[in-house]
Amino acid sequence: MLTQLSASELAAKLKSRETSAIEVAEAHLARIDQMDGEVGAYLEVCREAALESARLAQARLDEHTDGPLTGIPIAVKDNLSTLGIETTCASRILEGYVPPFDATVVSKLKEAGMVLLGKTNLDEFAMGTSCENSALKVTRNPWDPDRSPGGSSGGSAAAVAAELAPMALGSDTGGSIRMPAALCGIVGFKPTYGRVSRYGLVAFGSSLDQVGPLARTVEDAASLAAAVSGHDPSDSTSLRDSAIRTDGLKNGSLKGVKVGLPKQLMSDAVQPGVRDAFDMALEALVREGALVDEVDLPSIEYGVTTYYVIAPAEASSNLARFDGIRFGAQRTGEGHIGNVSATRGQLFGHEVKLRIMVGTYALSAGYYDDYYVRAQQVRSMMSDEFNRAFSDYDCLLSPTSPVVAFRLGELRDDQMALKMLDLCTIPANLGGFPSISLPCGFSQDLPVGMCLTGPVNSDERLLQIAYACEQGLPWGYRRPPMP
Ligand code: GLN
């Protein structure tokens, strides 16, 4: 079945003419028809456009002007702007908004000859950990339809796990690529802040947001990261010479790789089954030659609270642009102020409003120093602490999520517990570090992910280590129990 193949396997078959880009696109569209009613990964499927780009991709393959990803289908999170295709951020306020431009990453996919299958569900404006904050759709975990796929890139993760796309793009502000990747049993990579352009990504927390790949193998994640990375003059935070290279991906081994285990991330919060799966994976990595040591990073304790000041503060400012006049849907009230407040009052969801209020409070005169400034101070303290650890270790390792996929609705009334699940992923966003989640085992027949984080700009090395880990954990990847 074509839909079961990884992108690199598909690429090999396309180049050897065993299949065509059109066949590959059709196979994925047929599987979406068959399965997405159950999964709910896509908000919109771009059938005609996908078939048209598949035809163009095949022409490039025939003319030998193709690249490594030409003809490979991809799903894109619906907070990335797509020219001529509705971009909703899973919010009522953006319903009907059709961007007049492509995000830089989307232009790069097109230049690479990839085939955009559609736009995937997310927590509204990427605010959440379960995909349940989507105002538009429920996405289910392919491992168990009663469970959450994780969030906020839950649609992208579920699409890749359920073989409704071989790869997808997501965005990660506090873990939104890695968390759903872990809960759906696939690979998710957040590159170093600045290596992938944010131009056209609908901003949530601008100093934290990063676009990155979700895929079923590290190799695929690396090749998608390579395709979308690189300097972009349209993003003022984009780094120079930032294209991610994949040439050395398979040349590494775990022999002598120094891995630090932050002891603050191995706390009681980690479910015993997750702990067992993680420990078993760790033993395998040690057998492969990794040198593992516990490391003390006390600032981790403040990560979640720091993030939940900074991210809402930035969100409150970023979301001020949604006034019902310039983008998407509108509600009317009395006069201009009435229009704006009716639009924002009726069309933003609860979690988004909560964050706007918290963020506005944290930035207001009188509280700014106590909250925002203090959070930024803790953030630099934390980065310093991590950077000191990186002088002794190649990377840090922990479970990605302290729990396996939880039941839909289970944590809806316990926002504190839900937010604490970001404990392991948030430090990478606060420090701008590259970080990757990969499948490492199972608990209760549900996938468990491990998260590797490296110093700024170590993306190539981190991917190389992750690739070696993947080879050392042959039981890590399984297909979900779906037809
Ligand atoms: N779960 C985190 C939040 O709710 C992270 C979201 C993200 O990375 N976009 O903000």
Side-chain angles (χ1 to χ4, degrees):
M1 279 251 286
L2 287 172
T3 50
Q4 289 179 19
L5 302 179
S6 69
S8 67
E9 289 165 337
L10 284 172
K13 287 200 187 300
L14 286 168
K15 288 190 206 324
S16 68
R17 299 294 182 272
E18 270 173 80
T19 185
S20 73
I22 296 130
E23 263 173 18
V24 171
E26 279 170 349
H28 284 89
L29 290 167
R31 185 159 171 89
I32 292 169
D33 286 343
Q34 186 197 349
M35 301 301 310
D36 200 40
E38 205 172 302
V39 180
Y42 285 91
L43 289 173
E44 184 174 349
V45 178
C46 312
R47 183 173 309 277
E48 290 317 313
L51 291 172
E52 180 53 28
S53 22
R55 279 188 283 273
L56 293 172
Q58 189 55 45
R60 279 177 64 175
L61 285 154
D62 293 340
E63 291 158 9
H64 303 286
T65 55
D66 53 298
L69 292 173
T70 304
I72 304 297
I74 183 159
V76 169
K77 186 177 183 180
D78 203 26
N79 61 350
L80 287 161
S81 303
T82 40
L83 170 73
I85 301 170
E86 195 179 354
T87 298
T88 64
C89 296
S91 180
R92 297 253 171 248
I93 209 165
L94 279 178
E95 267 187 303
Y97 168 61
V98 178
F101 71 109
D102 275 326
T104 297
V105 290
V106 174
S107 311
K108 283 178 178 274
L109 300 180
K110 290 183 177 171
E111 282 158 27
M114 296 191 76
V115 174
L116 174 62
L117 294 172
K119 306 292 295 284
T120 55
N121 199 20
L122 63 152
D123 287 294
E124 186 174 358
F125 286 104
M127 297 176 186
T129 310
S130 67
C131 225
E132 290 167 289
N133 294 337
S134 169
L136 305 181
K137 197 164 194 170
V138 177
T139 300
R140 298 176 182 278
N141 192 311
W143 285 88
D144 177 349
D146 293 333
R147 291 179 192 265
S148 160
S152 67
S153 312
S156 285
V160 172
E163 300 167 353
L164 307 175
M167 36 173 54
L169 283 181
S171 66
D172 192 311
T173 306
S176 274
I177 290 176
R178 292 161 287 155
M179 171 67 75
L183 269 40
C184 289
I186 60 167
V187 177
F189 173 45
K190 181 199 90 71
T192 294
Y193 182 80
R195 291 197 72 164
V196 178
S197 169
R198 290 182 299 110
Y199 179 71
L201 167 70
V202 179
F204 163 14
S206 309
S207 73
L208 305 158
D209 297 340
Q210 189 60 192
V211 179
L214 295 104
R216 293 193 291 266
T217 65
V218 173
E219 181 178 10
D220 281 2
S223 57
L224 183 53
V228 297
S229 59
H231 180 66
D232 178 11
S234 303
D235 171 359
S236 62
T237 59
S238 167
L239 299 172
R240 305 229 157 248
D241 300 323
S242 50
I244 293 172
R245 296 177 316 276
T246 57
D247 31 325
L249 182 72
K250 299 182 181 174
N251 299 344
S253 89
L254 290 176
K255 224 174 183 53
V257 172
K258 290 197 214 136
V259 178
L261 293 182
K263 77 170 186 223
Q264 285 75 9
L265 297 180
M266 299 307 295
S267 68
D268 294 344
V270 180
Q271 270 175 359
V274 170
R275 181 72 198 240
D276 290 346
F278 179 81
D279 285 345
M280 197 173 124
L282 199 58
E283 277 169 34
L285 304 185
V286 170
R287 278 198 301 275
E288 299 289 320
L291 306 171
V292 179
D293 241 338
E294 202 175 72
V295 24
D296 190 22
L297 294 167
S299 68
I300 284 179
E301 202 189 318
Y302 308 110
V304 175
T305 34
T306 303
Y307 169 86
Y308 278 101
V309 172
I310 295 173
E314 295 181 5
S316 72
S317 154
N318 277 324
L319 270 58
R321 59 169 66 87
F322 301 110
D323 53 9
I325 297 167
R326 288 173 290 181
F327 312 98
Q330 184 179 37
R331 292 289 178 273
T332 42
E334 218 160 292
H336 172 64
I337 301 288
N339 289 344
V340 173
S341 67
T343 301
R344 290 172 67 88
Q346 292 170 35
L347 300 178
F348 276 141
H350 176 78
E351 182 67 21
V352 175
K353 286 183 193 167
L354 189 84
R355 303 229 185 168
I356 291 173
M357 285 191 281
V358 168
T360 306
Y361 183 82
L363 291 177
S364 58
Y367 296 102
Y368 182 81
D369 288 341
D370 283 349
Y371 291 99
Y372 191 69
V373 171
R374 177 139 336 158
Q376 293 292 11
Q377 286 165 342
V378 178
R379 181 181 190 173
S380 14
M381 183 182 90
M382 199 166 169
S383 298
D384 292 347
E385 202 175 273
F386 271 68
N387 283 326
R388 276 195 298 276
F390 288 134
S391 61
D392 295 326
Y393 299 98
D394 296 295
C395 63
L396 299 172
L397 176 66
S398 71
T400 308
S401 162
V403 300
V404 290
F406 39 94
R407 288 184 194 287
L408 289 164
E410 187 179 333
L411 294 177
R412 202 173 291 149
D413 298 326
D414 193 349
Q415 284 299 318
M416 194 60 197
L418 196 58
K419 291 183 165 85
M420 285 311 292
L421 298 183
D422 298 335
L423 179 73
C424 305
T425 50
I426 276 176
N429 301 81
L430 289 172
F433 308 127
S435 184
I436 184 166
S437 176
L438 63 151
C440 74
F442 290 82
S443 164
Q444 310 164 44
D445 279 328
L446 294 165
V448 173
M450 59 160 57
C451 188
L452 291 160
T453 301
V456 161
N457 275 330
S458 70
D459 302 59
E460 285 82 358
R461 176 77 178 124
L462 190 71
L463 286 162
Q464 194 183 51
I465 296 172
Y467 181 82
C469 289
E470 185 183 48
Q471 304 309 305
L473 302 170
W475 61 86
Y477 182 75
R478 277 193 222 157
R479 302 186 61 226
M482 294 184 85

